Amino acid sequence: MATSSVRSCRQYLLHLAQDNLDFRLPEIKALLALRGKPFIPDEKFKEKSPFWCLDGLSEEDIRSIMARSVCAKSAFELWGHGQTHSELRASLLSYQSENMSPFMHKDSTYRINIYTFNKTLEFTDRIKRIDALDYLPFEGTVNLKSPQHIFCLLEDYGTDPNNIPEHPNSVYFGRWLADGQRELIHSHSVKNRHFIGNTSMDAGLSFIMANHAKVKENDLVFDPFVGTGSLLVACSHFGAYVCGTDIDYNTIHGRGRSSRKNQKWRGPDENIKANLRQYGTEKTFLDVMVSDSSKSVWREAALFDAIITDPPYGIRESTRRTGSHKDITKPPDESHIPVSQAYHLSDIFTDLLNFSAHHLVMGGRLVYWLPVYRPEYCEEMVPLNPCFQLISNCEQTLSSHTSRRLITMEKIKEPEELDSLTHLADPRFSPYQGHNAFREKYFSGLNKRRGKEDNKLDFNDVSC
Amino acid sequence: MKLLTHNMLTSHVKGVTKGYPLLIKATEVKVNEVEFNPQFVSRMIPKLEWSALVQAAEEDLPGELVADYETNEEFLKKVHRILLEVEVLEGCLQCPESGREFPISRGIPNMLLNEDEA
């Protein structure tokens, strides 16, 4: 890096949380795409590092990302960086002083934070580092409680907690701009939500999904396997109007057995609308309906800006669809809950992609989880559709032999544009084969380890 | 069920070709107050089947879309009320071709078909 040359373009530093590593880059890219901006990392970029330096952006771009991101902790206007403190010093001294002076004049107040990744510093060492920055032209007064400007010295001691170097691998100095939305992980925690089910999506992941889907204010978002509405909660938080369907009458109506440990039955305020009301986004609640996703109830038009869903894997909730089932002779009851038949997992995804191709706006995104049996996984297993471009495929490990992958696809073609031969072009456009085995493999793997057991599992049983 | 949703729903009874729009047979309707968001209403208008909305609204909505509706706040407020504030709580949706009824209870339509209709 040419530390002596004067940089004319601003650089920004993102400090990211070290979890859901696979999901971070697609999230930041999607949020930049919402601004029509590309992702341009500097030449030292390492995706797994907690620090990313970005080029080609404005302060407004950064503030917009941070107003949405759950993966990013903080963002800074980068004034200098290097692999050593002396490199940092050279870098800082070459940063144009007119870019510094608005934040350092004598009537301003400021504070300097020291942040060390993968190392704990003694208080005295922190003070030493602050004092070592005295070559910077600070003219204002220090105010620890409520400074006008916050600066940060960040040191990266690598990602191995068992091998912490004496000196950092990289050091950065910048002006703090904004924090990300990680607070949502706590404020919207499923633990405190009025209405939950066995498969309610973890808050952090549901917001990440909404970001992967490029959900924006005034969008219309649909979840065809809505369950207790966790994904709708996240999308409505970002200003989208939301609707969903589910084949389970009781879940949609908020009735039946509670998923909470100390509670037997669900109370009167336990339904999806109540969840949105809990977080103040009731005005964006459109409707939920009891419906079978394999039999679309929507008219043929590009209705939805995004489709975000967590289809059943056949483990904690069963997969079902309406249709004849010779073995079961049950008289239809008053709530018209038809007899269900097993909905093969491969059909779920084929139907979902096909439905999305017909009902998403052009450029709209489909984001969904794909359950995977890890020993046999290969990239070719991800279902494709000629109307879609695959944007990202992020793995979340559930156990030693299972994981789920968050698939994001963007609609690039209308179904009418395809000719009849398109489906022959790529075997992956055909109904996804072999996926039905997921349920069998999942349980056979468990049975080998535990002996014969009940097929119903608590999510807490699977190691992550 | 809100009328925005109704505008997008169609009958999927096997063999039906003219299943849109579903007829609304309401026994209980409520009008709620929902915060007016002109941008959202403007965005939704191009997605709508306008004549089906006029039919469902039973109120004075113009038979054709007003030009420059994005800036016509009075018009947008009317559309907002129809799309988001009117709610069918009890009743049913009827397929215009087969006559099959889909019940609505507590504002929630049940669109499930029986085994023989699917």
Side-chain angles (χ1 to χ4, degrees):
Chain A
M1 190 190 86
T3 51
S4 51
S5 65
V6 173
R7 279 193 309 280
S8 50
C9 316
R10 296 285 161 87
Q11 270 200 321
Y12 294 95
L13 178 72
L14 292 186
H15 172 212
L16 298 116
Q18 290 298 91
D19 55 28
N20 294 319
L21 292 186
D22 275 2
F23 297 75
R24 306 185 313 182
L25 186 55
E27 192 207 41
I28 300 298
K29 278 185 171 170
L31 296 177
L32 281 170
L34 274 174
R35 304 273 304 169
K37 292 292 179 79
F39 178 81
I40 306 175
D42 77 348
E43 66 276 4
K44 296 227 176 70
F45 173 71
K46 285 205 191 75
E47 195 187 329
K48 305 296 176 197
S49 161
F51 301 108
W52 292 357
C53 294
L54 301 183
D55 292 323
L57 300 175
S58 69
E59 186 171 317
E60 267 316 299
D61 293 329
I62 296 295
R63 289 188 185 280
S64 296
I65 297 172
M66 298 311 282
R68 288 279 299 250
S69 175
V70 161
C71 295
K73 285 175 111 162
S74 315
F76 306 87
E77 179 183 71
L78 191 62
W79 286 14
H81 65 297
Q83 292 181 303
T84 62
H85 279 277
S86 49
E87 272 186 28
L88 172 67
R89 185 193 157 107
S91 174
L92 280 169
L93 291 174
S94 74
Y95 189 70
Q96 285 183 301
S97 53
E98 55 257 35
N99 293 338
M100 288 194 195
S101 44
F103 312 104
M104 298 175 114
H105 66 80
K106 62 177 169 53
D107 300 320
S108 67
T109 58
Y110 72 98
R111 186 179 84 205
I112 300 178
N113 292 343
I114 309 288
Y115 178 81
T116 50
F117 178 76
N118 198 31
K119 187 167 196 156
T120 332
L121 275 193
E122 298 284 310
F123 179 73
T124 47
D125 291 321
R126 290 175 181 272
I127 298 301
K128 271 192 210 154
R129 278 161 173 75
I130 294 176
D131 290 341
L133 291 167
D134 59 2
Y135 57 86
L136 289 172
F138 286 105
E139 285 176 39
T141 356
V142 172
N143 182 327
L144 294 179
K145 256 205 186 145
S146 43
Q148 285 171 306
H149 309 293
I150 297 176
F151 300 95
C152 200
L153 172 72
L154 302 106
E155 297 182 338
D156 183 358
Y157 287 88
T159 47
D160 186 353
N162 299 316
N163 187 12
I164 303 173
E166 200 198 320
H167 298 292
N169 303 330
S170 310
V171 286
Y172 309 88
F173 183 87
R175 178 173 68 95
W176 175 83
L177 291 177
D179 285 340
Q181 301 304 307
R182 293 187 67 72
E183 176 48 36
L184 292 174
I185 297 169
H186 310 290
S187 61
H188 285 62
S189 166
V190 161
K191 281 190 231 153
N192 303 321
R193 196 168 299 169
H194 289 327
F195 176 49
I196 60 167
N198 296 339
T199 55
S200 292
M201 182 68 55
D202 155 79
L205 281 173
S206 62
F207 287 108
I208 287 173
M209 286 174 76
N211 284 334
H212 280 209
K214 288 173 68 181
V215 166
K216 56 193 186 300
E217 207 183 339
N218 302 326
D219 268 358
L220 183 59
V221 174
F222 174 59
D223 182 352
F225 300 97
V226 72
T228 55
S230 312
L231 304 182
L232 300 190
V233 164
C235 294
S236 70
H237 179 79
F238 293 138
Y241 286 67
V242 295
C243 56
T245 59
D246 201 287
I247 203 171
D248 189 299
Y249 184 92
N250 284 331
T251 305
I252 290 288
H253 280 267
R255 298 189 336 190
R257 289 188 176 274
S258 171
S259 294
R260 297 203 132 95
K261 205 168 86 168
N262 301 323
Q263 190 183 337
K264 191 167 178 198
W265 299 103
R266 289 182 168 138
D269 200 31
E270 291 190 47
N271 54 64
I272 296 170
K273 192 171 187 181
N275 280 345
L276 267 70
R277 189 182 306 131
Q278 179 181 359
Y279 302 116
T281 57
E282 198 183 341
K283 77 167 198 246
T284 60
F285 175 83
L286 204 54
D287 274 299
V288 290
M289 300 184 290
V290 186
S291 176
D292 176 348
S293 295
S294 69
K295 298 174 176 65
S296 171
V297 298
W298 306 94
R299 74 172 145 82
E300 187 69 21
L303 301 166
F304 305 115
D305 298 292
I307 294 174
I308 307 186
T309 194
D310 183 20
Y313 315 150
I315 305 169
R316 285 175 288 140
E317 305 288 357
S318 60
T319 59
R320 291 179 287 163
R321 69 174 158 189
T322 53
S324 68
H325 202 304
K326 285 180 287 207
D327 304 314
I328 297 177
T329 45
K330 219 167 77 162
D333 65 356
E334 299 222 353
S335 45
H336 295 287
I337 302 172
V339 164
S340 302
Q341 61 173 193
Y343 191 3
H344 281 151
L345 285 176
S346 62
D347 292 343
I348 289 183
F349 302 109
T350 315
D351 288 349
L352 181 61
L353 261 63
N354 193 45
F355 173 85
S356 303
H358 284 86
H359 294 96
L360 267 177
V361 302
M362 188 60 90
R365 287 192 173 185
L366 163 66
V367 176
Y368 71 95
W369 286 102
L370 183 72
V372 158
Y373 182 66
R374 299 179 77 207
E376 289 179 10
Y377 172 75
C378 61
E379 219 177 291
E380 285 66 37
M381 287 185 162
V382 175
L384 294 184
N385 180 295
C387 296
F388 285 95
Q389 179 184 18
L390 178 65
I391 302 293
S392 61
N393 171 355
C394 307
E395 185 180 30
Q396 183 197 28
T397 308
L398 299 174
S399 73
S400 56
H401 61 292
T402 59
S403 65
R404 58 183 179 180
R405 288 176 168 271
L406 188 66
I407 308 294
T408 298
M409 311 195 69
E410 188 165 299
K411 180 170 168 180
I412 52 169
K413 270 207 187 95
E414 294 291 354
E416 304 80 58
E417 287 175 49
L418 305 171
D419 60 47
S420 51
L421 298 176
T422 314
H423 288 264
L424 300 175
D426 187 325
R428 292 157 78 185
F429 291 162
S430 314
Y432 173 50
Q433 302 300 333
H435 205 70
N436 300 325
F438 177 75
R439 194 203 323 234
E440 283 91 63
K441 292 191 166 118
Y442 180 90
F443 288 118
S444 76
L446 280 174
N447 286 340
K448 278 183 201 146
R449 282 185 358 226
R450 294 170 160 215
K452 293 280 164 123
E453 270 225 34
D454 184 18
N455 280 352
K456 291 246 182 341
L457 268 174
D458 189 332
F459 187 55
N460 294 316
D461 283 3
V462 301
S463 54
C464 285
Chain B
M1 182 202 67
K2 304 193 179 179
L3 295 185
L4 171 54
T5 308
H6 165 262
N7 193 271
M8 300 188 288
L9 292 178
T10 186
S11 167
H12 53 309
V13 173
K14 198 160 73 175
V16 161
T17 50
K18 293 196 177 73
Y20 180 87
L22 293 158
L23 302 164
I24 305 177
K25 291 158 98 176
T27 54
E28 191 184 333
V29 174
K30 191 167 156 221
V31 179
N32 306 303
E33 205 179 297
V34 176
E35 193 181 311
F36 174 54
N37 179 348
Q39 286 83 20
F40 177 72
V41 180
S42 286
R43 280 199 87 234
M44 290 303 110
I45 287 174
K47 298 189 206 254
L48 301 170
E49 277 286 340
W50 189 254
S51 50
L53 186 70
V54 173
Q55 198 183 338
E58 293 176 353
E59 297 193 16
D60 59 337
L61 274 181
E64 302 262 318
L65 254 186
V66 161
D68 299 327
Y69 56 80
E70 297 99 324
T71 47
N72 187 333
E73 186 167 298
E74 204 186 300
F75 176 73
L76 290 178
K77 276 201 168 127
K78 261 193 190 163
V79 177
H80 160 80
R81 187 171 179 275
I82 305 296
L83 289 180
L84 298 178
E85 293 189 328
V86 175
E87 201 182 344
V88 178
L89 291 179
E90 301 287 333
C92 70
L93 296 170
Q94 188 178 42
C95 171
E97 192 178 313
S98 68
R100 208 283 195 189
E101 289 183 349
F102 298 96
I104 301 175
S105 106
R106 292 152 54 165
I108 297 171
N110 182 343
M111 306 302 291
L112 292 177
L113 293 168
N114 294 319
E115 308 72 61
D116 48 324
E117 302 167 297

